[in-house]
């Protein structure tokens, strides 16, 4: 049962709607960032199986999955487990209609910006919340993050603290996102509500994880309900971004440092905690090391470096400017304890 608009509809109601939205350029706005987590709203079900969608499906299947024989949308939706390849193809087909729709939005925005001379951004920009490259987004939101990255300007993976998404899981999910999009138009959005968001340092850590994974930036949801401490955390991140923008946005992930914090009581081959992480970004002149510890009880850990750089190194606390670590040539590790915050950012200069 469908409770929203037909995803293949491109009639007057659709064209008038996107024309109306793009006309915001008349007020000088050239950047639209919208929220469409589920096309048609909640309870959208299995989407539309009307004759127009069926015709589009038949054409799409022939062009994109020629190895599959034709099955009607009704049969595919009704017998998902019997025809898993067709069901998966059906999901990608529906997502292609969303990508097509966003492409039309972007084209209409570009026309409106040219008409009214809007300039709130360097060029017409269209961003959309959601767009993750996971199965729920494909099935529930009808979105293909990879295709969207080639169509719009910001694909925003969502990190919702209120849903209990762990920091480690978010870190892994965003890195998957960056890999899938090959870094193209890759951003993330966080919310400021929930128990985790109220833990000092957590929002700043999440923002830094985005940047160290290669993301181009972040957005905040529920900003009006944030307290001053949360705003202060993000102001700190933005200040660090301004100071080290070149390294964060144009540096390479060199994986120079790693932390293998042991957990459990095994004396031989102990398990490593997945909640203690490191990330390194480097340019020819500067290196940045982010250490995060998301354990409830943070203990001292040893951070190791590889043979990639075995020379002497002085690491400075990016917040205080004070020397934090001094490594001699051939010294492979140092001990650190993140007592008061789940993250620590260290910086070192190169070339003397």
């Amino acid at each position: 049962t469908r409770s929203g608009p037909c995803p293949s509809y491109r009639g007057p109601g659709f064209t008038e709607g996107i024309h109306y939205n793009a006309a915001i350029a008349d007020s000088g706005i050239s950047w639209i960032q919208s929220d469409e987590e589920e096309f048609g709203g909640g309870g959208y079900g299995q989407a539309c199986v009307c004759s127009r969608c069926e015709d589009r499906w038949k054409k799409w299947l022939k062009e994109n999955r020629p190895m599959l024989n034709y099955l009607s949308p009704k049969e595919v939706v009704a017998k998902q487990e019997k025809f898993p390849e067709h069901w998966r193809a059906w999901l990608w087909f529906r997502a292609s209609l969303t990508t097509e729709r966003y492409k039309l939005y972007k084209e209409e925005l570009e026309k409106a910006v040219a008409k009214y001379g809007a300039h709130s951004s360097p060029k017409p920009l269209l961003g959309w919340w959601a767009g993750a490259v996971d199965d729920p987004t494909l099935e529930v939101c009808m979105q293909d993050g990879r295709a969207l990255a080639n169509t719009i300007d910001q694909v925003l993976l969502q990190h919702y603290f209120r849903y209990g998404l762990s920091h480690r899981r978010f870190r892994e999910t965003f890195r998957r996102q960056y890999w899938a999009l090959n870094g193209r138009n890759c951003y993330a959005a966080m919310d400021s509500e929930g128990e985790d968001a109220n833990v000092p340092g957590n929002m700043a850590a999440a923002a830094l994880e985005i940047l160290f994974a290669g993301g181009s930036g972040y957005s905040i949801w529920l900003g009006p309900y944030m307290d001053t401490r949360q705003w202060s955390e993000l102001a700190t991140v933005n200040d660090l971004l301004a100071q080290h923008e070149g390294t964060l946005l144009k540096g390479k992930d060199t994986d120079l440092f790693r932390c293998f914090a042991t957990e459990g009581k095994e004396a031989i081959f102990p398990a490593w905690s997945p909640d203690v992480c490191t990330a390194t970004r480097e340019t020819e002149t500067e290196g940045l090391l982010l250490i995060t510890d998301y354990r409830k009880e943070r203990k001292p850990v040893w951070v190791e470096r590889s043979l990639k750089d075995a020379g002497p190194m002085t690491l400075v606390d990016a917040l205080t400017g004070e020397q934090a670590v001094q490594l001699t040539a051939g010294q492979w590790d140092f001990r650190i304890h993140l007592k008061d915050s789940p993250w620590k950012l260290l910086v070192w200069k190169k070339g003397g």
Side-chain angles (χ1 to χ4, degrees), residues 168-183:
R168 175 173 58 85
R169 182 62 174 163
F170 171 70
R171 185 180 193 274
E172 295 168 350
T173 301
F174 189 80
R175 285 175 177 269
R176 174 189 177 183
Q177 181 89 355
Y178 184 84
W179 163 79
L181 304 188
N182 197 29

Side-chain angles (χ1 to χ4, degrees), residues 256-257 302-315 323-336:
L256 176 60
F257 290 94
W302 287 94
V303 178
E304 305 175 24
R305 64 171 169 168
S306 75
L307 275 173
K308 191 175 294 182
D309 188 339
M313 184 181 294
T314 301
L315 293 97
Q323 178 177 312
V325 177
Q326 181 69 54
L327 296 175
T328 60
Q331 181 179 349
W332 307 120
D333 57 14
F334 63 89
R335 192 170 183 262
I336 192 167

Side-chain angles (χ1 to χ4, degrees), residues 138-159:
L138 176 64
E139 183 168 354
V140 178
C141 305
M142 295 175 54
Q143 296 180 1
D144 175 359
R146 294 172 176 86
L148 287 175
N150 287 320
T151 305
I152 61 177
D153 304 286
Q154 284 193 338
V155 183
L156 285 151
L157 176 69
Q158 292 169 307
H159 180 194

Side-chain angles (χ1 to χ4, degrees), residues 44-110:
Y44 191 68
Q46 305 299 345
C48 187
V49 293
C50 71
S51 58
R52 179 179 52 244
C53 283
E54 183 169 5
D55 289 341
R56 292 289 303 268
W57 159 248
K58 188 179 297 184
K59 183 175 184 292
W60 184 94
L61 193 68
K62 183 178 180 180
E63 294 175 351
N64 295 277
R65 301 293 188 276
M67 72 293 292
L68 295 179
N69 62 303
Y70 177 76
L71 293 176
S72 72
K74 291 181 180 179
E75 187 173 12
V76 172
V77 171
K79 301 177 181 179
Q80 301 170 22
E81 294 183 1
K82 184 177 180 180
F83 303 109
E85 295 290 339
H86 285 79
W87 170 244
R88 190 71 171 183
W90 171 252
L91 296 181
W92 288 117
F93 159 70
R94 295 189 316 169
S96 75
L97 297 177
T98 300
T99 301
E100 177 187 83
R101 186 159 45 85
Y102 289 1
K103 183 175 183 293
L104 295 172
Y105 285 156
K106 180 66 182 294
E107 291 174 352
E108 193 66 26
L109 175 63
E110 290 172 340

